[in-house]
Amino acid sequence: MTTTHTSRAAKRPATSGAHGRHPAKSRQRPNWLGGLVSWLWLAVVLIPIYWIVITSLKTQSNYYLTNPFVPPGDPTLDNYRLVIEMDFPLYFLNSLIVAIGTVIPSVLFSFMAAYAIVRSSGANRFLRGVNSLFLMGLAIPLQATVIPVYLLIIKMQLYDSLTALILPSIAFAIPLSVLVLSNFIRDVPKELFESMRLDGASEWKTLWGLAFPLTRPAVVTVSIYNALQVWNGFLLPLILTQSPDKRTLPLALAAFQGGPYGVNVPAVLASVVLTILPILILYTVGRRQLLSGLTAGFGK
Amino acid sequence: MSAITARRTSSAAASRGGGVLPWLALPALVAFAVFALIPLIGVLLLSFTSWDTLGEIQLTGLESWRQVLTDPGLPHALWVTFLIMLLSWGFQTPASILIGVFLAGHQRYRELLAVLYFIPLLLSSAAIAITFKALLDPNFGIGAGLGLDFLTQDWLGEPGLAFGVVIFVVSWQYIPFHSLLYQGGVRQIPRSLYEAAELDGAGRVRMFFSITLPQLKYTIITSSTLMLVGSLTFFDLIFVLTEGGPGDATRALALDMYKRGFQANLMGAACVIGVILVLVGLALALLLRRIGGRDPYASQLEGA
């Protein structure tokens, strides 16, 4: 599994020391090209981020006059104050509600389905079909189906509500979640299931009492990944809501930039910083979990 | 041995009413069916109708198809999508492999490098697009601020430049993710292969082409599948960055669908584009699977 692999690989230098280094270290030329490209791209990644942070601390008039890469002599938080007054706390709350409202059901449903698929070990035709269906869902660009989703949401009279964002997001998150979770449930030793069965535990009890706690790291990983997808989602909020007070953060960003304050570049960039700040904080706290989560579904 | 255990547990499950297991899959199945499967069928059905979002949905047979297929906008959108797909793949893949190989080293500073490196993974396309739009503004962006002429171009106003900016920003957003995949892939290559090659006197470049690249085959296929299928649905980024412009220079399929549907109110025609998107996506996935000789997602099923 990728997650276990990543953490294992990351620990390697500590356990095997110099011996575990790249074999050719002593005699071979260093990887100049790789190093060059990596450092170059690091600069490409960091320069815009550095720029938005320092620019968001400048006043609008200062922005036009100063060198773009020199931090302001008198940093100001006025831009942030303006952005917060522009209802960004509300948009933040909306994003949070949609993320939590999506992640909890999608992960619980996916876990139950993954458990059933693994435990039936292909013996049940219905579950085999369900599994292939979810695999197919991975290959199809689900965004191509947004117009029927839009129609469905209107017919259900959910248009312009946060629920309208949550329901399709749950469905879109399921295929990958089931795939990743079933891989981890498959790693639980069969003997443990057997002993639960001998103790007379029901499948329901085995599911929550054994499989769920044993695969908690995977559950956390999948939850983080889904939360990030929803948090950053743009298309669904764009087509399924219209009132300003139903906006999620990415939509609010675009609206702010396209609106009357759009000419105030430092304020626009302050809004960008504000939306990425919570994720950056989460990233510094749970980096390993997050990175392994992002590749868990795809790594070889 | 595990096969025997598996058979025993499964027959055990079946014998005491495996009936309970299918029920557990039901909530996920229902959620997926209602908001993914039904819309998938719906997009096909709606492509045979006309609907302007306000009035009734009318069955008009092949009218929407004829309308879209005879529209020169379609080959253009297909071409733009193909070009974005090809160029962003062609730029991202070599860069991601190089960086992934470099980051796979276990030196401490490379771990730190990776921490900074993966930040774009966390940002929304909207935030990224807004940042670059401001950064590249010909009057108020960095070009003007630094007084550098070559940076002071109408980046989003010239078709060719705008196209290049889209490719660049896509790469900015996704190279870290694919580097991460390659980093994981490289770390799984058995060291013994390199040790043997070293004894044979192979150099670094030789080792890269005869060990690293072939060993990364499945990672390359997985990464390419994600890049190519993913680039079909680039929407947020292009929508915020260029809105398909200037003119329709960056009007890719997903954006074309949105514009036909939600701006021109031609939902039938938009669904035709949706069907085309689904078909292209499926064809790509099948093609890559054929090339790779196996399902890119299968490694997970085998527990590799």
Side-chain angles (χ1 to χ4, degrees):
Chain A
M1 280 318 100
T2 312
T3 316
T4 49
H5 160 73
T6 312
S7 53
R8 204 193 311 134
K11 278 190 214 110
R12 206 178 284 156
T15 51
S16 50
H19 179 70
R21 296 270 166 88
H22 199 279
K25 189 97 285 175
S26 50
R27 277 198 281 127
Q28 211 134 33
R29 282 178 297 122
N31 181 0
W32 287 114
L33 188 60
L36 185 73
V37 173
S38 299
W39 285 106
L40 201 72
W41 199 254
L42 183 73
V44 169
V45 164
L46 291 185
I47 286 171
I49 293 171
Y50 166 78
W51 178 76
I52 52 175
V53 172
I54 62 158
T55 308
S56 72
L57 299 170
K58 292 179 179 176
T59 62
Q60 197 180 352
S61 54
N62 232 340
Y63 170 67
Y64 298 121
L65 298 173
T66 55
N67 182 312
F69 290 114
V70 175
D74 49 344
T76 167
L77 287 175
D78 283 353
N79 298 314
Y80 288 92
R81 195 169 306 134
L82 173 71
V83 170
I84 287 170
E85 279 165 8
M86 297 301 291
D87 277 344
F88 267 71
L90 173 68
Y91 307 142
F92 183 89
L93 189 67
N94 286 346
S95 279
L96 201 64
I97 291 170
V98 176
I100 293 173
T102 302
V103 168
I104 292 175
S106 68
V107 172
L108 292 184
F109 292 174
S110 301
F111 195 87
M112 286 158 61
Y115 176 88
I117 288 167
V118 171
R119 289 289 287 148
S120 74
S121 350
N124 185 303
R125 185 190 294 245
F126 170 74
L127 288 172
R128 270 209 314 273
V130 170
N131 193 30
S132 335
L133 193 68
F134 291 154
L135 284 178
M136 185 198 74
L138 283 174
I140 290 174
L142 289 175
Q143 290 92 326
T145 65
V146 289
I147 290 165
V149 168
Y150 169 73
L151 177 62
L152 210 58
I153 290 292
I154 291 178
K155 294 283 179 209
M156 295 169 108
Q157 308 203 315
L158 290 171
Y159 181 73
D160 203 19
S161 70
L162 294 182
T163 318
L165 305 179
I166 292 173
L167 294 177
S169 301
I170 294 174
F172 289 8
I174 282 174
L176 187 63
S177 307
V178 171
L179 176 72
V180 174
L181 290 172
S182 54
N183 288 329
F184 281 89
I185 298 173
R186 208 166 273 129
D187 281 354
V188 175
K190 299 253 175 354
E191 294 72 26
L192 294 178
F193 288 119
E194 194 63 7
S195 68
M196 283 295 274
R197 194 181 68 83
L198 292 175
D199 287 349
S202 64
E203 290 290 354
W204 184 252
K205 200 161 168 223
T206 313
L207 165 63
W208 298 116
L210 176 76
F212 196 77
L214 280 180
T215 52
R216 194 165 342 175
V219 171
V220 173
T221 291
V222 170
S223 305
I224 292 175
Y225 178 79
N226 288 344
L228 203 58
Q229 290 296 106
V230 176
W231 185 267
N232 288 338
F234 185 82
L235 182 57
L236 289 179
L238 179 69
I239 62 166
L240 298 178
T241 64
Q242 65 181 162
S243 323
D245 66 334
K246 296 293 187 304
R247 279 178 194 152
T248 55
L249 283 174
L251 198 57
L253 275 183
F256 188 62
Q257 191 250 2
Y261 289 94
V263 290
N264 188 346
V265 178
V268 169
L269 295 177
S271 72
V272 171
V273 174
L274 269 188
T275 64
I276 64 185
L277 211 56
I279 311 173
L280 278 184
I281 291 169
L282 269 179
Y283 180 57
T284 47
V285 176
R287 175 174 61 86
R288 216 162 279 270
Q289 196 70 255
L290 202 59
L291 285 187
S292 54
L294 286 164
T295 46
F298 308 112
K300 178 190 170 276
Chain B
M1 185 217 96
S2 66
I4 298 168
T5 331
R7 197 172 308 131
R8 181 149 34 87
T9 38
S10 69
S11 65
S15 66
R16 82 205 140 88
V20 112
L21 286 177
W23 288 105
L24 290 177
L26 212 57
L29 180 65
V30 169
F32 185 75
V34 173
F35 286 100
L37 211 55
I38 291 178
L40 193 62
I41 300 162
V43 77
L44 182 64
L45 295 180
L46 284 175
S47 74
F48 299 112
T49 66
S50 294
W51 179 40
D52 63 1
T53 73
L54 294 173
E56 291 293 304
I57 300 175
Q58 284 169 339
L59 204 63
T60 49
L62 291 172
E63 178 55 36
S64 298
W65 280 88
R66 188 162 50 235
Q67 189 189 330
V68 172
L69 292 179
T70 54
D71 179 352
L74 178 69
H76 177 76
L78 279 169
W79 173 243
V80 168
T81 309
F82 173 74
L83 221 52
I84 290 178
M85 201 183 262
L86 195 73
L87 292 177
S88 63
W89 179 83
F91 183 65
Q92 288 184 85
T93 301
S96 304
I97 292 178
L98 275 175
I99 295 167
V101 168
F102 186 73
L103 291 180
H106 291 293
Q107 291 87 338
R108 198 99 198 98
Y109 78 93
R110 293 193 190 179
E111 305 256 326
L112 185 73
L113 206 66
V115 175
L116 296 170
Y117 206 80
F118 296 135
I119 291 175
L121 277 179
L122 310 171
L123 312 186
S124 68
S125 301
I128 292 172
I130 287 170
T131 300
F132 279 97
K133 214 171 161 178
L135 199 62
L136 296 173
D137 190 289
N139 299 315
F140 309 115
I142 47 164
L146 291 172
L148 293 173
D149 277 347
F150 74 98
L151 275 174
T152 319
Q153 315 236 21
D154 195 2
W155 290 105
L156 298 171
E158 301 274 338
L161 286 179
F163 205 88
V165 169
V166 168
I167 303 292
F168 173 78
V169 178
V170 162
S171 307
W172 191 86
Q173 187 173 14
Y174 292 106
I175 280 182
F177 174 76
H178 294 279
S179 304
L180 193 63
L181 285 185
Y182 285 115
Q183 181 196 36
V186 171
R187 285 185 173 175
Q188 279 186 337
I189 301 175
R191 264 141 217 276
S192 52
L193 291 179
Y194 290 104
E195 281 154 16
E198 201 191 339
L199 287 178
D200 290 345
R204 177 176 278 282
V205 174
R206 179 81 200 280
M207 283 193 202
F208 176 78
F209 283 105
S210 29
I211 299 175
T212 312
L213 265 192
Q215 288 285 315
L216 284 178
K217 182 182 173 198
Y218 292 123
T219 314
I220 294 174
I221 291 165
T222 305
S223 158
S224 303
T225 306
L226 292 171
M227 271 184 206
L228 297 175
V229 175
S231 61
L232 276 182
T233 51
F234 283 151
F235 173 80
D236 328 11
L237 192 75
I238 302 179
F239 181 78
V240 180
L241 199 61
T242 67
E243 258 195 275
D248 52 7
T250 53
R251 184 164 165 155
L253 273 181
L255 195 73
D256 193 47
M257 177 179 82
Y258 174 83
K259 289 200 156 187
R260 282 178 200 263
F262 293 93
Q263 288 180 354
N265 290 328
L266 298 167
M267 287 296 181
C271 282
V272 172
I273 305 285
V275 174
I276 294 173
L277 267 176
V278 170
L279 292 180
V280 175
L282 274 178
L284 264 177
L286 286 176
L287 184 75
L288 284 155
R289 189 170 156 176
R290 176 73 42 98
I291 293 172
R294 69 168 198 180
D295 192 327
Y297 304 109
S299 64
Q300 270 68 44
L301 294 175
E302 291 152 11

